[in-house]
Amino acid sequence: MLSRTEPVKILVVDDEEIMLKLACDALRTQGHQVIGSSGALEALDKLKGEKFDFILTDIKMPEMDGMELIQSAHRIDPSMGAIFMTGYASLDTAKRAIQEGAYDYILKPFDLQEIRSAVARAIQKRNQNIKDGREKGLSQLFDLNRILYTAGDCRSLLKLSLEFALVQGRLRGGMILYWPASTGELLILHTENPGQNLFTEVSIEIDEGLVAESSSVKDILHIERPDQYPLFSRLRDLVSDSSLADALPKADDEAILIPLRKAESTCGTIVLKKTSRGQKLSEEDLKLLAILGIQTAISLENLTLLIETERSYQELQNLQEQIIGLEKMATQGRISAEIGHELNNYLTVIMGNFQILDMKIKKGEMQSLKKQLEPISSNLEKIKSFTEGLLDFSTMKAKKAECDINELISKTLAFVKPQNVFKNIIFLTQLKPNVPRVSVDSGQIQQVLYNLLNNAADAMGKRKGEGGNITVGTDCPPEGQPLEIWVSDTGRGMSEEELGKVFTAGFTTKESGHGIGLSICRKIIESHQGTIQVESRLNEGTTFRIRLPL
Ligand code: ADP
């Protein structure tokens, strides 16, 4: 920052040689670095070659008047301070000088102290301006960060960023190009109405040439003939048949390119359109726009990571649900083992007593048969009440909630597929899209499906590794009709006789079967006011159909 003690660099311009020398000497003795110029054109040349903090100029000069000189000087460096000197004071000159941003105004003839004080005041004023500018810049940066943090998705972030750039540059039109590495798409958002959320949006396949052109812009760039700039020719070809074709900067426009760049990688570009007559952007504006580009790139990366994390978290949750389902089913397995153990106890007593009965009958000891018949009948009674208890148990805890049956089926299949018993089986699905949601106990329906899938695998000789197809489907019912779920297999099928008994508790054709799986399934479906039916052809396959009321 400039301070009183810090020397400043001043260009003094006056066509009167004595005045020029006087002014230069007066300021040099103050420790400033002063360069004199006896004409406006020479002064402009000097300004193009080196940077000055102030220009102190006479107003009335032959080649170009001081006002014009300041205008041209400000086009070269808008931040340069200006002080006028004139012998013809009038209200009009004073007004014009202030409009041109003059810090001070000295009347000729002046004494040396007067010119020193004018420069000292100008330095002080300029210091204050820089301080104010910094504060303004800081508050703009604060606004920028706050705005960018409010965006919940990349599209809103891009829109906010573009609008901020337009407001900051006091421009009406512009566009933002974005090509996230993951999508292979180039998104272009364009607006001519900042602040009104009116955007044209075009999404096209990513173009390597355009990405290379854009990525070569490493810093904010001001382009004077956009029609001759390769990035715009490329863009024009890409959007020629879209509404964006007209929005690109024209030959007599100017464009400002702001790369969305973080570290060494660019993920997009902001293009601001500016008419050549429009106000020049100050150094502070350009700095803030460059920061906007970096901040936007960082925020886009953070947001993408956040969205990715949320997606992974959702996947984790789904997986967790599947694991819970798995545990439920594993519990189901444990229950089966316990059931087997319990039934075995009763059956051992029954079998033992039968053997004794057999012996007694062979020996003709008919009078003592009652001793064995009594435990046989009481144990059979125990088995009956045990299985009834089981069936009741399975229906007691129905916790119904709205559920997407297709999703439930997919989850169950995803869970069973990797299991060893389904190793040689090909799973097919025919799930009708948009089946209505039903209110069910999803855990219980999953148990039913698991049972049917297990039986189907058994029917295809899973243990011999024979394999076959299992198809699970849903049918979208006409209004008022129940929803249908079916599980079909290409297994051994059933005889008419087996078909008649299949839902009877205790009916099994398997060596280690208990014959209660399907009866539990029926209880569950009935507790949902639904039905379960079976169709089967021996050696061809079996289909179970569940109908659930909506
Ligand atoms: P378990 O599986 O313990 O035998 P279930 O009640 O689940 O008890 O099944 C009863 C019987 O129904 C099975 O033993 C089998 O004979 C027959 N069964 C069930 N599903 C099928 C199927 N998909 N294909 C052929 N037979 C089946």
Side-chain angles (χ1 to χ4, degrees):
M1 187 197 281
L2 288 167
S3 76
R4 245 167 221 256
T5 51
E6 210 176 310
V8 296
K9 199 165 162 191
I10 307 170
L11 179 66
V12 183
V13 191
D14 200 321
D15 59 326
E16 288 175 61
E17 226 166 281
I18 301 172
M19 294 306 284
L20 180 65
K21 192 169 175 338
L22 256 177
C24 288
D25 289 347
L27 295 171
R28 276 194 195 109
T29 56
Q30 290 297 96
H32 301 309
Q33 191 187 344
V34 186
I35 293 190
S37 176
S38 58
L41 297 181
E42 184 195 317
L44 279 177
D45 267 353
K46 289 205 159 94
L47 286 171
K48 280 176 196 153
E50 50 191 314
K51 191 169 164 58
F52 289 87
D53 298 307
F54 290 97
I55 177 166
L56 184 84
T57 177
D58 186 19
I59 290 190
K60 226 171 160 47
M61 292 185 294
E63 294 166 322
M64 178 190 271
D65 90 5
M67 295 290 178
E68 267 179 74
L69 170 62
I70 297 291
Q71 276 171 357
S72 308
H74 275 162
R75 270 198 284 279
I76 296 168
D77 178 2
S79 66
M80 189 167 26
I83 303 166
F84 287 103
M85 306 180 281
T86 184
Y88 310 90
S90 76
L91 194 61
D92 186 47
T93 341
K95 259 202 312 209
R96 279 184 62 206
I98 302 295
Q99 272 166 3
E100 227 7 86
Y103 283 130
D104 221 322
Y105 180 85
I106 313 166
L107 276 182
K108 284 182 181 176
F110 45 78
D111 63 33
L112 297 185
Q113 196 44 45
E114 229 177 309
I115 193 166
R116 285 178 191 139
S117 316
V119 169
R121 276 197 305 276
I123 293 174
Q124 207 175 9
K125 222 168 177 181
R126 189 178 134 138
N127 284 350
Q128 187 59 42
N129 284 356
I130 290 174
K131 191 166 166 256
D132 292 349
R134 291 239 162 112
E135 274 164 18
K136 190 173 150 222
L138 273 178
S139 98
Q140 281 168 327
L141 265 182
F142 178 71
D143 286 348
L144 167 68
N145 279 325
R146 213 185 38 193
I147 286 172
L148 294 186
Y149 278 119
T150 58
D153 60 277
C154 294
R155 204 172 247 86
S156 322
L157 179 69
L158 294 167
K159 289 179 178 175
L160 287 171
S161 174
L162 175 60
E163 290 199 317
F164 187 92
L166 289 171
V167 171
Q168 184 62 30
R170 297 169 296 280
L171 301 167
R172 294 209 58 79
M175 58 184 69
I176 189 161
L177 320 179
Y178 177 52
W179 55 89
S182 53
T183 64
E185 281 209 334
L186 169 69
L187 174 68
I188 307 178
L189 294 165
H190 158 254
T191 185
E192 299 279 340
N193 302 284
Q196 292 179 32
N197 202 21
L198 289 173
F199 287 89
T200 323
E201 189 174 322
V202 172
S203 192
I204 48 177
E205 203 177 306
I206 200 151
D207 177 85
E208 294 306 329
L210 182 119
V211 168
E213 286 296 345
S214 302
S215 301
S216 67
V217 181
K218 308 248 187 290
D219 216 335
I220 191 159
L221 190 66
H222 184 190
I223 296 163
E224 295 205 336
R225 287 294 310 268
D227 59 321
Q228 290 174 6
Y229 193 72
L231 173 72
F232 291 111
S233 336
R234 194 98 198 179
L235 251 179
R236 200 161 294 116
D237 291 345
L238 289 173
V239 300
S240 57
D241 48 357
S242 81
S243 53
L244 277 187
D246 261 0
L248 290 168
K250 308 269 177 328
D252 54 352
D253 286 329
E254 288 177 12
I256 290 161
L257 294 189
I258 308 164
L260 306 184
R261 195 169 166 81
K262 185 190 164 255
E264 282 307 296
S265 81
T266 308
C267 65
T269 309
I270 300 178
V271 178
L272 303 179
K273 208 166 59 170
K274 175 177 175 304
T275 57
S276 40
R277 295 172 311 284
Q279 202 179 349
K280 196 171 180 330
L281 298 188
S282 72
E283 249 178 70
E284 295 305 316
D285 290 335
L286 293 174
K287 254 190 235 161
L288 190 67
L289 289 176
I291 293 174
L292 168 74
I294 298 167
Q295 290 287 76
T296 306
I298 294 172
S299 300
L300 280 167
E301 190 183 80
N302 289 347
L303 207 56
T304 313
L305 281 175
L306 188 76
I307 292 168
E308 186 63 25
T309 313
E310 274 173 1
R311 210 175 51 82
S312 304
Y313 181 69
Q314 189 56 48
E315 265 174 22
L316 193 71
Q317 259 188 338
N318 293 347
L319 208 66
Q320 210 173 12
E321 270 174 35
Q322 276 185 19
I323 290 170
I324 291 171
L326 182 78
E327 278 175 359
K328 268 190 195 163
M329 290 183 191
T331 312
Q332 200 54 29
R334 271 206 300 280
I335 290 173
S336 304
E338 277 165 26
I339 294 167
H341 179 72
E342 192 75 20
L343 287 176
N344 235 5
N345 286 344
Y346 302 136
L347 289 173
T348 315
V349 179
I350 295 171
M351 298 275 279
N353 280 288
F354 260 121
Q355 277 167 4
I356 301 171
L357 265 185
D358 195 38
M359 268 167 41
K360 281 187 176 172
I361 291 169
K362 279 180 187 150
K363 284 188 193 166
E365 296 170 4
M366 303 307 211
Q367 64 283 21
S368 62
L369 292 186
K370 209 169 174 255
K371 210 175 160 198
Q372 268 67 50
L373 282 175
E374 199 277 322
I376 288 175
S377 115
S378 81
N379 274 284
L380 283 174
E381 199 51 48
K382 278 181 193 162
I383 291 176
K384 189 166 174 271
S385 66
F386 175 70
T387 46
E388 276 171 4
L390 266 181
L391 299 184
D392 286 347
F393 165 81
S394 70
T395 57
M396 263 170 66
K397 295 186 216 155
K399 272 194 229 135
K400 292 187 190 172
E402 286 256 307
C403 143
D404 178 340
I405 282 292
N406 284 348
E407 204 180 297
L408 191 74
I409 292 172
S410 304
K411 268 192 206 164
T412 313
L413 292 182
F415 159 68
V416 301
K417 274 181 198 167
Q419 295 180 21
N420 225 3
V421 290
F422 297 96
K423 206 165 71 187
N424 297 307
I425 287 162
I426 297 168
F427 282 94
L428 305 166
T429 50
Q430 290 181 15
L431 306 176
K432 280 271 158 67
N434 305 324
V435 287
R437 294 172 72 83
V438 270
S439 175
V440 292
D441 182 320
S442 51
Q444 289 191 350
I445 299 297
Q446 241 176 342
Q447 275 180 32
V448 172
L449 288 170
Y450 188 60
N451 234 308
L452 297 182
L453 294 170
N454 247 314
N455 278 343
D458 278 339
M460 290 186 281
K462 63 183 179 186
R463 284 182 186 95
K464 295 185 201 98
E466 285 163 13
N469 293 355
I470 297 181
T471 312
V472 186
T474 46
D475 263 319
C476 208
E479 208 169 326
Q481 297 296 307
L483 169 87
E484 189 172 286
I485 308 167
W486 45 271
V487 178
S488 210
D489 65 63
T490 54
R492 64 169 190 86
M494 282 181 263
S495 66
E496 285 294 320
E497 198 195 337
E498 284 173 331
L499 262 178
K501 296 180 192 163
V502 84
F503 291 109
T504 312
F507 170 73
T508 182
T509 54
K510 299 173 197 168
E511 254 175 59
S512 55
H514 301 305
I516 53 167
L518 284 177
S519 54
I520 291 180
C521 288
R522 186 157 71 175
K523 277 272 178 186
I524 290 177
I525 297 302
E526 282 174 354
S527 79
H528 282 77
Q529 285 79 47
T531 58
I532 177 163
Q533 285 168 354
V534 58
E535 298 146 23
S536 186
R537 276 171 179 272
L538 206 54
N539 301 322
E540 283 183 23
T542 303
T543 300
F544 281 88
R545 280 181 205 285
I546 298 166
R547 293 193 179 90
L548 293 170
L550 295 172

